[in-house]
């Protein structure tokens, strides 16, 4: 019973820590149509895992550095302009492949790569919780600080310039926030599923709310509820936790769409 309490409580705290941040940040991902951008950044984080293992440094640090470098590269070179999502597709798939190959060249290091691809929230420790909640607090502080400017920049570059807001600078801020979230979330839902936790709750909340603030709060609540539901499902039925969390977000999205059809 004590083991159950400690595992589930840590997992719940980790899931809520990521979901409460992914909700508001995911709203900007949806509004700005950056879903593939977030996937490319998350996939690149596997390279960070390999780098951390080679240099014998904390995985969080390696993932944060590589995720930030990938997001910064995409921002600097404007990959989204290369035939819609072509540049992002190249970045997402190639970095993931190089990361997996790099990990395979580390025979002396025993590592469960699936834990970084799909998450292993039940293995979260107190130190991981500190990193998750610390990184989440930084991201939420950034969003709260620049909320109005980010909204203006999201509406359009011309409107942003007219209001004295530099849209490229605000986009850079989002890339920094995205890199921090990816580094924090890789232990919870994994590199392949972090994009889903960003996009699906925000997309669900979009049809249920009328204001940006309400959408951000609703997305956080949906993500938090899905995290708890996925942890419960994993514990009860021995399903993989990260995918289980995403399944709950997908169910919430389907229900929201059915509600719209019925109305």
């Amino acid at each position: 019973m004590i083991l159950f309490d400690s595992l589930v409580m840590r997992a719940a705290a980790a899931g809520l820590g990521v979901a409460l941040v992914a909700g508001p940040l995911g709203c900007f991902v949806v509004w700005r149509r950056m879903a593939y951008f977030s996937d490319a950044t998350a996939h690149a984080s596997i390279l960070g895992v390999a780098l951390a293992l080679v240099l014998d440094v904390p995985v969080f640090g390696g993932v944060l550095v590589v995720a930030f470098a990938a997001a910064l590269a995409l921002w600097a070179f404007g990959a989204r302009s290369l035939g819609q999502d072509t540049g992002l597709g190249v970045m997402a798939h190639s970095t993931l492949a190089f990361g997996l190959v790099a990990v395979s060249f580390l025979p002396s290091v025993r590592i469960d790569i699936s834990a970084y691809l799909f998450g292993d929230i039940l293995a979260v420790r107190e130190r991981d919780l500190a990193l998750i909640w610390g990184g989440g607090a930084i991201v939420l502080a950034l969003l709260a600080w620049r909320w109005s400017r980010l909204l203006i920049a999201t509406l359009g570059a011309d409107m942003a310039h007219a209001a004295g807001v530099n849209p490229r600078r605000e986009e850079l801020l989002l890339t920094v926030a995205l890199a921090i979230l990816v580094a924090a979330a890789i232990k919870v839902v994994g590199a392949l599923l972090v994009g889903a936790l960003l996009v699906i709750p925000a997309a669900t909340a979009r049809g249920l709310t009328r204001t940006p603030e309400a959408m951000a709060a609703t997305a956080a609540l949906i993500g938090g509820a899905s995290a708890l539901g996925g942890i419960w499902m994993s514990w009860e039925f021995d399903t993989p936790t990260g995918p289980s969390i995403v399944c709950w977000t997908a169910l919430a999205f389907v229900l929201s769409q059915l509600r719209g059809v019925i109305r």
Side-chain angles (χ1 to χ4, degrees):
M1 185 65 180
I2 295 176
L3 177 62
F4 170 81
D5 289 343
S6 61
L7 284 176
V8 173
M9 291 302 293
R10 286 200 302 268
L16 289 174
V18 172
L20 295 179
V21 179
L25 184 58
C27 292
F28 287 101
V29 171
V30 170
W31 291 330
R32 301 174 70 97
R33 300 186 179 184
M34 294 174 63
Y36 218 171
F37 188 101
S38 63
D39 281 341
T41 304
H43 290 180
S45 65
I46 295 299
L47 269 176
V49 174
L51 179 64
L53 294 175
V54 169
L55 299 179
D56 194 23
V57 298
V59 171
F60 178 86
V63 171
L64 180 61
V65 169
V66 173
F68 179 72
L72 188 62
L74 291 169
W75 172 83
F77 296 112
R80 283 180 291 167
S81 65
L82 297 177
Q84 297 295 325
D85 289 332
T86 302
L88 290 173
V90 171
M91 170 70 82
H93 302 306
S94 61
T95 52
L96 177 60
F98 276 111
L100 293 174
V101 170
V103 170
S104 71
F105 279 106
L106 301 172
S108 60
V109 179
R110 299 186 64 181
I111 177 176
D112 180 14
I113 191 62
S114 65
Y116 293 101
L117 290 174
F118 303 107
D120 190 12
I121 192 173
L122 294 179
V124 166
R125 296 171 294 180
E126 286 79 3
R127 182 179 63 182
D128 299 319
L129 286 177
L131 293 174
I132 290 170
W133 280 90
I138 293 173
V139 172
L140 288 179
L142 286 174
L143 293 179
W145 174 43
R146 309 293 292 185
W147 182 261
S148 297
R149 292 176 176 268
L150 285 169
L151 285 178
I152 294 172
T154 300
L155 292 174
D158 293 337
M159 181 175 293
H161 287 302
V165 175
N166 185 339
R168 290 285 288 169
R169 182 177 59 196
E170 303 308 317
E171 187 175 9
L172 176 60
L173 180 77
L174 285 177
T175 64
V176 172
L178 189 60
I180 296 174
L181 179 66
V182 167
I186 191 170
K187 194 71 175 285
V188 177
V189 290
L192 296 183
L193 302 176
V194 62
L197 198 60
L198 280 164
V199 173
I200 301 178
T204 304
R206 190 174 194 175
L208 302 175
T209 55
R210 295 179 179 272
T211 66
E213 293 77 12
M215 178 175 167
T218 303
L221 290 175
I222 292 171
S226 298
L228 296 179
I231 293 168
W232 168 82
M233 182 177 176
S234 177
W235 187 268
E236 288 290 328
F237 303 105
D238 196 26
T239 57
T241 312
S244 298
I245 292 173
V246 175
C247 285
W248 280 88
T249 65
L251 178 61
F253 177 78
V254 171
L255 291 176
S256 71
Q257 296 301 302
L258 290 176
R259 173 180 176 273
V261 171
I262 293 173
R263 291 186 63 183

